């Protein structure tokens, strides 16, 4: 894009004659109009002719002749999914690709005859057929197909199923007389092509030498033209005998083998403080495997167990480049012989070090790449590229788009580049340029800040609020976060078993370092996230440290005086009594030790009479956001239940992605069973799952399932009564769609404040040269009853309620109280009439619990007194 617009340049490893390249090996820039070329999203070169196949941002497939610089549009996709998976045949006469169709989740495999320009559909998909690849011998076309709808029953959604594994590799015979590839090939006993090598052999899988899977030295001999019988080809594809799963890509290699990536179905943690990019529930890239399948032997073997992201087979088929992730989560690139397992031993029988940059490990040292970056020139290129992306891809309201002077916009902001002194200032400049779109979901994210931070200084959190207390000479606990106490990441550390720290207790020291008004817990917990710390705790009601010390001195003096004046002539009976008391105290001390909690290091929390501090061990949180969120939502839910006597349920959805859907199914069963439901989308960050919630909010009870015993339940099980939606100025994107849909469909009333006003969608997110991210609003949303008005305007609720500063001071949620009033009013209007027969009373003559319990367990009550003659069998039992 040196000229301001994107173009095509051809670089040669070896300069061919008549290539059009200038002296000195300089690249050749093709004279293609930028409006025709567009922004190239995928490109592939022919293995035999000077032809390029490319897909642009307009979902067009173009074929370009490098020598003559002529081009033709070969195909277009009617869907926003476009065209992908370009694959040239070995002879160069055919080009296979996957084209998304107009129906959702529908893609076909098509083959373009490059000689005539005719494109034909060769698969008849149920859903998506993707990733075509040619058999080097020209007999088959391999691809991935989503056709296996094998349901898995869901644990939370009643009688609902999911389909986590729908793909399989397929093989398509190109000629009508090609035998069924799934039938074993008939071969002689001494077939040289079957060495009988075990799948575990390193190097080539089936007895090849070090040349890899190709089996012969590469010779530049043009392959024979591939012939394709298109008649009846739609019915020839067969699935390989493999399990359904999540496959990434497939590639054909020699000897009727194919390699492919497969990814497991994994779960990932959810939370407000969880990085969704690192915890993507749709698949764990670091768990990908590279697998090989042989049609001749009908068996599968794993080449690389895990860590594979993608791979690419060289044009001659001998080498495979694998992009992966190492054990530390760093990107890596390795090169292996195609179809062979990476060697574990070298020629000297020495173990191969996978972290060494050697031919045996295949690991490529990417640090050898050195670039000289001139910030001023790089920043200019980034600004212009971001401008092109927004110009070409932003789906704006027609009224807004007509008023944008794109050329003037670039000129105004480019003039300020001379004043940009650092990367953050460049971001400010680009954000100002993006702001002229007057659209939501448009932003630029920083990648290279110019600062290298090898360590992550994560502060630790104890999950509590503190304030310095002069009397206790420590930080008094004002509030203890509960969160999910069973969870290590979302539960408050002070609420864990055995810690026994409550409101009013004080923390005196951390890791034996005394706290002072100037030295707070936050100071000592720097870089303590996820680490254990030792806390010194002073229980509530205890005297100050100074008072304790003074009391100890007074008690010691009194004890000494008594010893000096004691009666030396006390009787043997008195001595016996003291001995019995001493023995009893000893037993009490042993019992006290047994009762100490798992975190206790000093006096137990149950020793209320002690004024001494105690030591406890806890593990700090790296973030307490999720614990605070749990407590906040739990308090709101408890308030709704208390005010309505349990008749109204409460749900909060922080977004409509993984976290929001997790919260929905976490509480939907319990809350939808009540007579009415409040759905709180305040602060909803948006997403794409609003239709899941709306489908359930539209369910109404059609009947009641009455069991022989136990409580009856609604049908459908998750049918809801009257609905009230809470929204505010921080409700954005898909959250606004929920508020509007509930109102437009007449499902209920909406309470709160006018929403954010940003419902554009940015499915397109691209990277600039330094790794910065540009999000482009490439979709706009039109809603019945609102048109495009939600964008930049938002949704106005039926009942406008503001949570003012005075409400926060009084800890009152005025919006929630108004929503509860709306739900109660709906119930009073009879909008939640019960469906089905009246509730049945307990069966006549049902036995009630006897006043006297008839069973006696063997365990004694309390500790038997040995001196009283109880012993093991002398104690009192129930």
């Amino acid at each position: 894009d040196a000229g301001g617009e994107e173009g095509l340049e051809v670089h040669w490893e070896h300069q061919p004659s008549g290539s059009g390249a200038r002296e000195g090996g300089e690249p050749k820039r093709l004279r293609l109009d930028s409006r025709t070329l567009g922004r190239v999203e995928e490109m592939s070169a022919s293995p035999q002719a000077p032809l390029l196949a490319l897909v642009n941002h307009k979902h067009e497939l173009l074929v370009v002749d490098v020598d003559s610089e002529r081009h033709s549009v070969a195909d277009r996709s009617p869907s926003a999914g476009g065209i992908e998976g370009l694959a040239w045949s070995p002879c160069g006469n055919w080009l296979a690709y996957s084209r998304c169709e107009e129906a959702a989740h529908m893609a076909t495999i098509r083959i373009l005859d490059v000689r005539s320009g005719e494109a034909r559909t060769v698969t008849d998909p149920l859903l998506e057929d993707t990733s075509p690849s040619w058999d080097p011998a020209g007999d088959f076309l391999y691809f991935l197909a989503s056709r296996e709808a094998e349901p898995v029953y869901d644990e939370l959604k009643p009688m609902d199923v999911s389909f986590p594994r729908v793909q399989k590799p397929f093989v398509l015979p190109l000629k009508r007389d090609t035998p069924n590839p799934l039938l074993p090939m008939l071969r002689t006993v001494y077939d040289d092509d079957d060495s009988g090598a075990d799948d575990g052999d390193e190097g080539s899988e089936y007895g090849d030498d070090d040349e890899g899977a190709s089996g012969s030295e590469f010779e530049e001999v043009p392959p024979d033209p591939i012939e394709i019988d298109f008649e009846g080809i739609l019915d020839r594809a067969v699935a390989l005998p493999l399990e359904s799963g999540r496959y990434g890509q497939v590639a054909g290699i020699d000897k009727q083998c194919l390699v492919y990536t497969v990814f497991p179905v994994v779960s990932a943690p959810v939370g407000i403080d969880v990085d969704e990019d690192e915890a993507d529930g749709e698949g764990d890239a670091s768990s990908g495997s590279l697998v090989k399948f042989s049609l001749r032997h009908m068996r599968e073997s794993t080449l690389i167990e895990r860590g594979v992201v993608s791979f690419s087979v060289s044009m001659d088929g001998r080498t495979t480049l694998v992009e992966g992730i190492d054990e530390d989560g760093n990107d890596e690139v390795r090169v292996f012989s195609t179809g062979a397992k990476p060697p574990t031993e070298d020629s000297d029988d020495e173990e191969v070090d996978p972290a060494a940059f050697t031919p045996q490990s295949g690991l490529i040292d990417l640090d050898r790449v050195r670039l000289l970056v001139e910030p001023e020139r790089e920043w200019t290129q980034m600004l212009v590229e971001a401008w092109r992306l927004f110009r070409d891809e932003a789906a704006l309201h027609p009224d807004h788009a007509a008023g944008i002077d794109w050329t003037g916009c670039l000129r105004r902001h480019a003039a300020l580049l001379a004043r940009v002194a650092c990367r953050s200032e460049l971001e400010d400049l680009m954000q100002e340029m993006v702001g002229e779109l007057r659209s939501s979901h448009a932003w630029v994210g920083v990648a290279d800040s110019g600062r290298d931070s090898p360590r992550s200084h994560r502060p630790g959190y104890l999950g509590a609020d503190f304030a310095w207390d002069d009397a206790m000479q420590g930080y008094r606990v004002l509030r203890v976060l509960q969160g999910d106490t069973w969870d290590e990441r979302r539960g408050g550390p002070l609420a864990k078993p055995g810690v026994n720290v409550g409101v009013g207790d004080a923390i005196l020291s951390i890791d034996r370092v005394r706290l002072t008004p100037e030295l707070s817990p936050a100071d000592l917990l720097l870089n303590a996230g996820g680490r254990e710390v030792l806390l010194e705790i002073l229980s509530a009601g205890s005297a100050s440290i100074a008072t304790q010390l003074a009391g100890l001195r007074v008690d010691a003096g009194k004890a000494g005086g008594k010893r000096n004046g004691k009666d030396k002539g006390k009787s043997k009976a008195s001595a016996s009594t003291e001995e019995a008391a001493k023995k009893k105290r000893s037993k009490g001390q042993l019992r006290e030790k047994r009762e100490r909690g798992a975190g206790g290091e000093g006096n137990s929390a149950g020793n209320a009479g002690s004024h001494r501090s105690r030591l406890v061990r806890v593990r700090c949180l790296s973030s307490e956001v999720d614990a605070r969120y749990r407590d906040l939502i739990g308090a709101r839910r408890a308030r709704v239940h208390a005010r309505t006597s349990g008749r109204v349920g409460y749900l909060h959805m922080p977004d409509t992605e993984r976290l929001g859907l997790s919260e929905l199914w976490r509480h939907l069963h319990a809350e939808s069973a009540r007579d009415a439901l409040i759905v709180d989308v305040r602060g909803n960050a948006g997403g794409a799952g609003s239709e899941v919630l709306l489908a359930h909010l539209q369910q109404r009870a059609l009947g009641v399932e009455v069991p022989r015993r136990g409580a009856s339940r609604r049908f459908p099980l998750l049918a809801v009564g009257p609905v009230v939606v809470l929204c505010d100025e921080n409700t954005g994107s898909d959250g606004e769609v929920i508020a509007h849909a509930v109102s437009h469909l007449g499902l209920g009333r909406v309470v709160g404040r006018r929403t954010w006003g940003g419902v554009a969608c940015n499915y397109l997110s691209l990277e600039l040269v330094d790794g910065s991210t540009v999000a482009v609003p490439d979709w706009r949303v039109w809603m019945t009853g609102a048109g495009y008005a939600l964008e930049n305007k938002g949704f106005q609720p039926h009942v406008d309620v503001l949570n003012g500063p005075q409400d926060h001071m009084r800890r009152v949620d005025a919006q929630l109280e108004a929503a509860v009033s709306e739900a109660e009013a709906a119930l009073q209007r009879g909008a939640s009439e019960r469906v089905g027969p009246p509730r049945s009373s307990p069966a006549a003559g049902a036995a009630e619990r006897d006043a006297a319990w008839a069973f006696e367990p063997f365990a004694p009550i309390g500790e038997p007194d040995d001196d009283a003659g109880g012993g093991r069998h002398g104690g009192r039992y129930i």
Side-chain angles (χ1 to χ4, degrees):
D1 61 352
E5 298 290 345
E6 295 193 14
L8 281 180
E9 283 188 354
V10 182
H11 297 247
W12 286 268
E13 183 180 5
H14 304 289
Q15 292 287 358
S17 58
S19 63
R22 291 175 287 178
E23 294 295 330
E26 294 185 10
K28 174 184 178 181
R29 186 177 179 90
L30 304 186
R31 296 186 297 271
L32 290 177
D33 184 74
S34 61
R35 292 170 296 182
T36 301
L37 177 64
R39 180 172 52 81
V40 178
E41 296 182 339
E42 185 178 352
M43 182 167 55
S44 180
S46 169
Q48 303 297 332
L51 299 178
L52 291 176
L54 58 90
V55 177
N56 62 19
H57 73 287
K58 296 180 288 186
H59 313 312
E60 297 174 335
L61 172 63
L62 281 73
V63 178
V64 180
D65 190 316
V66 173
D67 290 343
S68 66
E69 302 188 15
R70 293 181 300 174
H71 70 278
S72 297
V73 177
D75 203 351
R76 291 183 178 87
S77 171
S79 168
I83 295 172
E84 61 180 13
L86 304 181
W88 287 92
S89 65
C91 65
N93 292 337
W94 310 95
L95 178 69
Y97 55 93
S98 174
R99 187 184 77 171
C100 292
E101 305 301 333
E102 190 170 0
H105 297 287
M106 181 70 68
T108 59
I109 302 296
R110 291 171 64 84
I111 294 180
L112 170 69
D113 188 341
V114 182
R115 298 163 297 184
S116 66
E118 182 180 4
R120 298 181 177 91
T121 299
V122 297
T123 64
D124 184 17
L126 291 177
L127 292 170
E128 294 177 318
D129 292 347
T130 60
S131 186
S133 180
W134 298 83
D135 168 32
D139 296 327
F140 307 108
L141 183 72
Y142 306 109
F143 64 96
L144 299 176
S146 299
R147 304 187 183 187
E148 308 302 322
E150 300 174 353
V152 176
Y153 280 102
D154 196 278
E155 293 291 335
L156 281 180
K157 296 180 284 185
M159 294 307 296
D160 203 350
V161 295
S162 61
F163 301 91
R165 302 175 181 88
V166 297
Q167 287 181 308
K168 272 189 178 182
F170 274 61
V171 55
L172 174 66
L174 298 177
K175 297 179 183 178
R176 67 175 66 184
D177 56 353
T178 300
N180 184 351
L182 301 187
L183 295 177
M185 182 181 296
L186 299 179
R187 294 172 294 174
T188 62
V189 176
Y190 301 104
D191 191 342
D192 292 338
D193 198 36
D194 184 7
S195 64
D198 185 79
D199 286 358
D201 288 349
E202 296 171 3
S204 182
E205 277 287 353
Y206 304 116
D208 295 329
D209 54 21
D210 291 339
E211 297 166 4
S214 60
S216 62
E217 291 291 343
F218 176 67
E219 300 178 0
E220 296 186 5
V221 178
D224 296 331
I226 295 177
E227 297 181 5
I228 302 176
D229 296 330
F230 287 99
E231 184 178 354
I233 196 171
L234 295 178
D235 300 322
R236 286 191 217 137
V238 292
L240 294 180
L242 300 172
E243 293 184 357
S244 302
R246 285 187 169 185
Y247 295 86
Q249 59 185 118
V250 63
I253 59 177
D254 278 351
K255 297 188 177 181
Q256 294 187 354
C257 294
L258 60 152
V259 291
Y260 46 86
T261 51
V262 59
F263 298 90
V265 178
V266 296
S267 61
V270 294
I272 295 178
D273 206 42
V274 172
D275 188 344
E276 290 298 315
D277 293 333
E278 297 180 359
D280 183 5
E282 296 184 355
D284 185 358
S286 64
S287 300
S289 303
L290 183 64
V291 185
K292 174 182 175 180
F293 184 83
S294 172
L295 285 174
R296 293 184 179 181
H297 301 83
M298 281 295 157
R299 66 174 180 249
E300 185 182 40
S301 58
T302 300
L303 304 181
I304 302 178
E305 290 286 348
R306 59 176 288 109
V308 178
V309 177
S310 63
F311 70 93
S312 177
V313 179
S314 62
M315 194 170 287
D316 63 5
R318 302 178 63 200
T319 306
T320 298
L321 183 144
V322 178
E323 179 187 359
I325 299 177
D326 63 18
E327 295 180 355
D328 297 327
N330 301 315
D331 296 336
E332 65 177 18
V333 177
R334 296 179 184 267
V335 176
F336 301 110
S337 178
T338 297
K341 289 185 178 181
T344 58
E345 294 182 351
D346 58 18
S347 57
D348 298 328
D349 295 333
E350 296 290 338
E351 185 176 352
V352 173
D353 183 3
F357 301 110
T358 62
Q360 290 77 20
S361 70
L363 182 62
I364 297 177
D365 185 5
L366 299 179
D367 289 338
R368 293 184 303 169
V369 180
R370 292 290 186 265
L371 295 176
L372 178 62
V373 176
E374 299 179 32
E376 294 80 3
R377 297 182 61 184
E378 182 182 68
W379 295 344
T380 301
Q381 188 276 334
M382 292 169 59
L383 180 71
V384 175
E385 183 175 8
W387 170 80
R388 285 199 310 268
L389 291 174
F390 286 108
R391 180 198 63 183
D392 298 338
E393 297 288 2
L396 305 177
H397 191 282
D399 296 340
H400 296 172
I404 296 179
D405 177 12
W406 288 105
T407 303
C409 175
L410 178 61
R411 185 184 303 112
R412 288 192 302 274
H413 292 85
L416 299 174
L417 279 171
R419 299 187 177 186
V420 172
C422 60
R423 181 61 182 80
S424 60
E425 291 185 0
L426 175 66
E427 182 190 11
D428 291 339
L429 180 61
M430 298 174 75
Q431 294 283 22
E432 290 295 328
M433 181 180 69
V434 170
E436 295 201 11
L437 297 177
R438 292 182 289 172
S439 174
S440 63
H441 295 76
W443 47 267
V444 178
V446 176
D448 180 14
S449 62
R451 294 185 296 271
D452 187 14
S453 300
R455 294 189 61 188
S456 176
H457 299 279
R458 298 182 302 171
Y461 298 91
L462 297 177
D465 295 334
F466 309 100
W468 176 259
D469 190 300
D470 289 326
M472 304 183 77
Q473 287 296 295
Y475 280 85
R476 184 163 47 89
V477 177
L478 305 178
R479 176 189 177 193
V480 176
L481 299 182
Q482 298 293 318
D484 292 338
T485 54
W486 62 86
D487 187 83
E488 190 71 21
R489 186 176 54 83
R490 294 190 297 264
L494 300 185
K496 298 297 184 183
V499 178
N500 301 319
V501 174
V503 175
D505 295 346
I507 299 179
L508 306 182
S509 68
I510 297 178
D511 286 339
R512 302 190 185 278
V513 178
R514 288 288 304 169
L515 295 171
T516 66
E518 294 76 23
L519 189 63
S520 68
D523 297 325
L524 297 182
L525 293 177
L526 181 63
N527 204 30
R531 184 169 61 84
E532 286 187 6
V533 296
L534 185 66
L535 306 179
E536 184 181 1
I537 304 297
L538 184 64
S539 300
S542 298
S544 66
I545 299 297
T547 303
Q548 289 185 45
L549 294 177
L552 290 175
R553 287 194 297 268
V554 172
D555 293 341
K558 290 181 178 180
K562 289 182 179 180
R563 283 195 300 269
N564 292 332
K566 61 183 179 180
D567 184 4
K568 297 182 179 181
K570 58 184 178 181
S571 64
K572 293 184 177 180
S574 299
S576 176
T577 303
E578 286 188 9
E579 186 67 23
K582 182 177 180 182
K583 185 176 180 181
K584 200 164 188 177
R585 284 195 302 269
S586 178
K587 291 181 61 178
Q589 291 172 357
L590 291 174
R591 183 166 60 252
E592 179 184 340
K593 289 183 179 180
R594 291 195 301 266
E595 292 174 352
R596 286 175 182 171
E601 298 287 344
N603 294 352
S604 71
N607 190 8
S610 174
H611 295 305
R612 298 175 182 174
S613 60
R614 58 191 176 90
L615 300 177
V616 295
R617 289 185 302 118
V618 299
R619 186 182 302 278
C620 295
L621 294 173
S622 296
S623 170
E624 58 185 13
V625 172
D626 289 294
R628 290 187 179 274
Y629 172 76
R630 283 277 180 263
D631 286 1
L632 172 66
I633 301 306
R636 291 178 181 175
R637 183 174 293 109
R639 170 59 182 165
V640 172
H641 293 172
R643 179 174 163 181
T644 63
S645 300
R647 297 191 64 192
V648 179
Y650 173 86
L651 282 174
H652 180 262
M653 291 191 69
D655 59 29
T656 54
E657 293 289 349
R658 295 176 61 250
L659 174 59
L661 295 177
S662 173
E663 290 298 301
L664 171 66
W665 289 108
R666 181 184 175 109
H667 300 290
L668 184 60
H669 283 269
E671 301 307 306
S672 65
R674 305 177 190 274
D675 295 336
L677 180 64
I678 295 175
V679 179
D680 191 348
V681 293
R682 290 178 294 178
N684 188 288
S690 59
E691 59 188 60
V692 177
L693 173 65
L694 292 173
H696 287 284
L697 295 185
Q698 295 182 74
Q699 288 189 352
R700 292 294 180 265
L702 302 176
V704 175
E705 295 177 333
V706 184
R708 173 64 180 85
R709 295 176 180 86
S712 60
R713 63 184 187 184
R714 298 173 182 171
F715 175 80
L717 179 61
L718 298 180
V720 299
V723 175
V724 178
V725 171
L726 265 172
C727 65
D728 64 4
E729 61 275 12
N730 295 316
T731 302
S733 193
D734 214 24
E736 300 178 83
V737 172
I738 293 174
H740 168 77
V742 168
S743 173
H744 180 72
L745 295 174
L747 302 179
R749 304 265 288 174
V750 182
V751 178
R753 298 289 287 173
R754 184 167 63 90
T755 60
W756 176 51
V759 295
C761 303
N762 58 340
Y763 292 105
L764 180 62
S765 182
L766 301 174
E767 285 192 356
L768 300 179
V769 65
D770 72 339
S772 298
T773 304
V774 177
V776 182
D778 56 330
W779 290 63
R780 62 179 187 268
V781 177
W782 186 94
M783 299 291 295
T784 56
Y788 292 116
L790 289 181
E791 178 69 23
N792 287 332
K793 181 179 179 181
F795 174 79
Q796 181 64 43
H798 304 109
V799 182
D800 191 289
V801 181
L802 172 67
N803 274 346
Q806 66 278 9
D807 297 315
H808 289 284
M809 290 293 294
R810 294 185 293 114
R811 298 184 181 275
V812 173
D813 190 341
Q815 294 173 341
L816 181 63
E817 298 296 330
V820 173
S821 298
E822 288 292 327
E824 290 177 328
L827 293 177
Q828 291 177 359
R829 291 193 297 266
S832 181
E833 297 179 357
R834 289 195 171 273
V835 177
R839 293 178 176 177
S840 57
S841 57
E848 296 182 359
R849 177 180 172 181
D850 295 334
W853 193 247
F855 302 99
E856 295 185 359
F858 189 71
I861 293 180
E863 292 285 341
D865 190 350
D866 293 341
D867 294 333
R872 174 173 175 81
H873 300 287
R876 183 167 59 89
Y877 296 88
I878 299 178

